[in-house]
C-alpha cells in the first residue's frame, strides 16, 4: 500500500489550497478539555472561508472531507466570533472518528481543498512520514500551521508526483504509445510551465517531452515489474518471456514517441499536415505537408509539398526515406532524428540523395564540425513549412 506521506504530497500538488499543522493536545483531547475540533490558525483562513469572520458573530460552512483511510465525514468549518472567542475550527467528524484521540497528539495534519466543497485529510503519525512530507515542500516544523506554498517544490518532485498520479489512474497495464506520449507532454507542461516553447523553442520542447516520456515509461515499467524483479522468477521461461515483453514494448514506444511529439509541435504551430500519409504503392512517409489530399491532387504545386520522416536513430535506416514519396523524386526530403552524431561519410551519402537532417539544436554539436551547417534545426524546418504554406 502506498504510504500516507506520498498520498498527502500528491494531494497538495493537485489541490487548489493546502494547509498543515501538528495536532495539539487541545485538538486531540489530551488536555481533558471540551473537544471542539481542530484549531485552524488565522494565516490559514483561506482554506476554510473566502472572507474572514466578523467579530461579534459566528460563521460556518459545511464540506465533505475524504480521509486517507477511505472514510468520509461531513464536517463543519466554524468561526467563533461571539463573546470573548475569536478562533477558527473544523468540527463535526462524527461518532467514532479515530484520528483525534490522545495518541495522535503531535501527528501532522495535512488538509487540502480540491474544490469549493470537497477536501482531503491526512494524518501522518510517524517521524519518517512527517519528515518525508516536510522535505518534499522544503518545510521545517516551524513552517507549519499555515498555508503551504508549493512554488518552492523541486520540479523533479512535482514531476514524480504527476507521474505517480498518472500511473495509479491507469485501468490497463500499459496505455497506447499515443496516450503515453500525451501524458508525458501534459506532465512536462504542468510541471515546468514552458508551453510557450512549442512556438518559441520547439527544439528544446521536443527534447523535454522525449526525456519526460522516457522517465514516465521507466516509472511505469518499475510499477508493473518491480516486485517481480525483486522477488525473482519461477523459471527461466518466465524470465525470458517477461524480458521479451519489456524489450518489444520499449522498441515499439521509442519508434512512435518521436512521431507523436512532432505532431503535437506541428499542431501547436498551426501547421497543416497528414501523419502516416499514404503515397504511391501504400508507402507511408511519417508526415506530408500540407496534406495527403494535396499530395494526390495533380493540380496542387509540387513545390509546396514537403515530406518528413521521423526516426529516433538513423545510422542505418535513413535510406528508407529516399523512396517514400515518388512525386518528390529529385527534390529534397527531410529526416528528423534524435540521433546524436553520425559520420561524415554517411552525411555525404545523405547529401547525395538530397536527404536533409532535421535535428534538435542542442544535439547538432555532436555531429562532425564541417557538416553542422548542413543540418536543419526543428525551428528552421517549422519556419520553412510555414513559408511554403504562404506561397501563392
Amino acid at each position: 500500500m502506498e504510504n500516507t506521506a506520498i498520498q498527502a504530497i500528491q494531494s497538495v500538488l493537485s489541490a487548489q489550497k493546502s494547509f498543515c499543522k501538528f495536532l495539539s493536545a487541545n485538538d486531540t483531547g489530551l488536555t481533558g478539555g471540551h473537544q471542539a475540533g481542530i484549531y485552524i490558525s488565522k494565516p490559514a483562513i483561506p482554506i476554510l472561508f473566502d472572507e474572514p469572520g466578523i467579530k461579534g458573530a459566528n460563521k460556518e460552512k459545511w464540506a465533505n472531507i475524504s480521509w486517507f483511510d477511505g472514510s468520509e465525514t461531513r464536517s463543519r468549518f466554524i468561526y467563533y466570533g461571539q463573546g470573548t472567542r475569536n478562533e477558527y475550527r473544523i468540527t463535526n467528524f462524527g461518532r467514532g472518528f479515530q484520528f483525534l484521540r490522545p495518541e495522535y497528539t503531535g501527528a501532522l495534519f495535512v488538509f487540502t481543498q480540491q474544490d469549493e466543497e470537497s477536501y482531503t485529510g491526512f494524518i501522518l503519525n510517524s517521524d519518517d512520514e512527517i519528515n518525508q512530507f516536510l522535505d518534499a515542500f522544503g518545510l521545517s516544523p516551524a513552517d507549519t500551521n499555515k498555508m503551504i506554498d508549493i512554488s518552492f517544490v523541486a520540479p523533479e518532485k512535482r514531476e514524480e508526483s504527476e507521474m505517480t498520479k498518472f500511473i495509479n489512474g491507469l485501468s490497463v497495464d500499459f496505455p497506447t504509445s499515443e496516450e503515453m506520449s500525451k501524458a508525458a507532454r501534459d506532465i512536462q507542461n504542468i510541471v515546468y510551465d514552458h508551453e510557450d516553447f512549442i512556438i518559441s523553442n520547439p527544439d528544446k520542447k521536443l527534447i523535454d517531452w522525449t526525456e519526460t516520456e522516457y522517465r514516465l515509461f521507466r516509472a511505469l515499467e518499475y510499477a508493473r515489474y518491480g516486485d517481480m524483479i525483486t522477488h525473482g522468477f519461477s523459471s527461466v521461461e518466465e524470465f525470458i518471456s517477461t524480458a521479451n515483453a519489456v524489450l518489444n514494448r520499449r522498441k515499439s514506444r521509442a519508434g512512435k514517441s518521436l512521431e507523436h511529439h512532432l505532431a503535437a509541435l506541428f499542431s501547436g504551430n498551426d501547421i497543416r499536415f497528414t501523419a502516416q500519409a499514404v503515397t504511391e504503392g501504400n508507402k507511408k512517409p511519417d508526415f506530408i505537408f500540407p496534406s495527403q489530399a494535396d499530395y494526390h491532387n495533380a493540380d496542387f504545386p509540387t513545390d509546396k509539398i514537403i515530406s518528413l520522416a521521423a526516426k529516433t536513430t538513423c545510422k542505418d535506416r535513413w535510406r528508407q526515406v529516399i523512396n517514400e514519396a515518388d512525386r518528390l523524386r529529385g527534390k529534397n526530403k527531410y529526416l528528423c532524428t534524435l540521433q546524436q552524431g553520425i559520420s561524415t561519410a554517411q552525411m555525404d551519402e545523405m547529401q547525395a540523395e538530397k536527404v536533409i537532417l532535421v535535428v534538435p539544436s542542442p544535439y547538432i554539436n555532436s555531429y562532425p564540425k564541417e557538416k553542422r551547417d548542413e543540418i536543419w534545426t526543428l525551428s528552421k524546418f517549422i519556419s520553412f513549412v510555414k513559408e511554403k504554406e504562404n506561397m501563392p
Side-chain angles (χ1 to χ4, degrees):
M1 180 179 176
E2 186 178 38
N3 82 35
T4 307
I6 292 177
Q7 293 180 51
I9 291 167
Q10 292 169 352
S11 184
V12 169
L13 291 175
S14 63
Q16 294 180 358
K17 300 170 185 174
S18 53
F19 161 84
C20 69
K21 65 165 284 184
F22 287 100
L23 294 177
S24 69
N26 181 263
D27 294 321
T28 62
L30 185 61
T31 58
H34 174 66
Q35 176 58 47
I38 299 175
Y39 173 79
I40 304 296
S41 62
K42 291 181 175 60
I45 291 172
I47 202 165
L48 303 183
F49 300 109
D50 292 334
E51 300 288 340
I54 299 173
K55 191 71 176 75
N58 290 346
K59 178 178 182 175
E60 68 174 34
K61 166 186 169 182
W62 290 83
N64 298 315
I65 304 176
S66 298
W67 295 89
F68 67 101
D69 66 338
S71 62
E72 294 186 1
T73 61
R74 179 69 175 170
S75 299
R76 181 177 65 160
F77 304 162
I78 184 165
Y79 167 64
Y80 294 104
Q82 294 182 334
T84 59
R85 300 187 71 178
N86 181 22
E87 63 184 44
Y88 296 81
R89 287 187 180 269
I90 304 174
T91 66
N92 291 73
F93 297 101
R95 188 183 300 275
F97 185 73
Q98 63 175 316
F99 300 115
L100 293 184
R101 296 173 181 168
E103 58 265 34
Y104 287 99
T105 302
L108 187 68
F109 170 56
V110 180
F111 195 53
T112 68
Q113 181 182 12
Q114 306 305 315
D115 57 45
E116 185 64 25
E117 290 193 358
S118 298
Y119 292 75
T120 54
F122 303 86
I123 306 293
L124 309 183
N125 199 33
S126 73
D127 288 341
D128 287 344
E129 288 189 334
I130 290 170
N131 289 329
Q132 184 178 3
F133 181 87
L134 295 179
D135 290 346
F137 298 102
L139 301 173
S140 73
D143 294 321
T144 60
N145 207 20
K146 56 188 176 184
M147 305 290 284
I148 299 173
D149 183 356
I150 67 170
S151 64
F152 296 105
V153 180
E156 294 80 7
K157 179 62 69 174
R158 296 184 63 194
E159 181 184 275
E160 178 185 334
S161 175
E162 290 293 333
M163 287 182 179
T164 302
K165 184 166 65 174
F166 170 74
I167 292 170
N168 289 343
L170 289 174
S171 58
V172 295
D173 276 353
F174 283 86
T176 65
S177 62
E178 188 171 5
E179 291 169 332
M180 181 73 78
S181 296
K182 183 181 184 304
R185 291 194 298 273
D186 290 343
I187 289 169
Q188 205 277 334
N189 292 340
I190 288 170
V191 173
Y192 298 95
D193 194 26
H194 288 153
E195 201 160 358
D196 59 299
F197 282 4
I198 292 173
I199 296 174
S200 65
N201 195 347
D203 293 80
K204 179 169 177 22
K205 202 62 179 170
L206 178 60
I207 293 173
D208 289 345
W209 282 345
T210 302
E211 290 179 345
T212 300
E213 182 175 356
Y214 176 77
R215 291 192 293 271
L216 176 60
F217 189 78
R218 291 297 297 272
L220 180 54
E221 280 188 330
Y222 183 80
R224 297 294 183 258
Y225 297 118
D227 286 344
M228 186 183 300
I229 292 170
T230 299
H231 295 102
F233 299 88
S234 60
S235 66
V236 173
E237 288 76 14
E238 183 185 8
F239 168 76
I240 293 173
S241 175
T242 302
N244 284 337
V246 170
L247 291 174
N248 289 336
R249 190 177 287 112
R250 286 186 178 186
K251 290 176 184 177
S252 175
R253 181 206 62 83
K256 290 293 184 182
S257 170
L258 179 58
E259 295 174 35
H260 297 321
H261 296 319
L262 285 172
L265 285 172
F266 298 147
S267 296
N269 280 274
D270 295 323
I271 291 174
R272 291 177 57 218
F273 66 92
T274 299
Q276 292 298 304
V278 178
T279 56
E280 301 83 5
N282 207 34
K283 297 171 184 175
K284 291 184 179 180
D286 295 313
F287 297 95
I288 286 289
F289 306 86
S291 72
Q292 175 177 296
D294 291 323
Y295 182 89
H296 290 290
N297 178 2
D299 294 328
F300 190 83
T302 301
D303 285 345
K304 295 185 68 172
I305 297 173
I306 302 167
S307 172
L308 175 74
K311 298 187 183 299
T312 307
T313 59
C314 67
K315 277 177 66 70
D316 302 316
R317 297 191 300 149
W318 69 267
R319 292 176 180 82
Q320 298 171 5
V321 177
I322 300 170
N323 298 312
E324 286 183 339
D326 292 351
R327 185 173 176 180
L328 300 179
R329 185 166 291 147
K331 297 185 178 296
N332 289 335
K333 294 176 183 176
Y334 300 85
L335 169 58
C336 183
T337 184
L338 300 177
Q339 177 92 40
Q340 295 192 47
I342 57 177
S343 70
T344 300
Q346 282 182 310
M347 291 199 66
D348 287 339
E349 288 185 62
M350 290 182 184
Q351 187 175 20
E353 297 289 350
K354 293 186 174 295
V355 174
I356 295 178
L357 280 181
V358 179
V359 179
S361 55
Y363 291 172
I364 291 179
N365 283 340
S366 64
Y367 285 77
K369 189 173 183 179
E370 66 275 16
K371 292 293 183 181
R372 292 173 192 170
D373 290 343
E374 300 172 10
I375 302 172
W376 285 27
T377 64
L378 187 56
S379 179
K380 180 176 179 178
F381 178 79
I382 288 173
S383 297
F384 171 68
V385 174
K386 287 184 173 181
E387 289 172 8
K388 289 284 187 180
E389 278 190 348
N390 295 326
M391 281 175 54

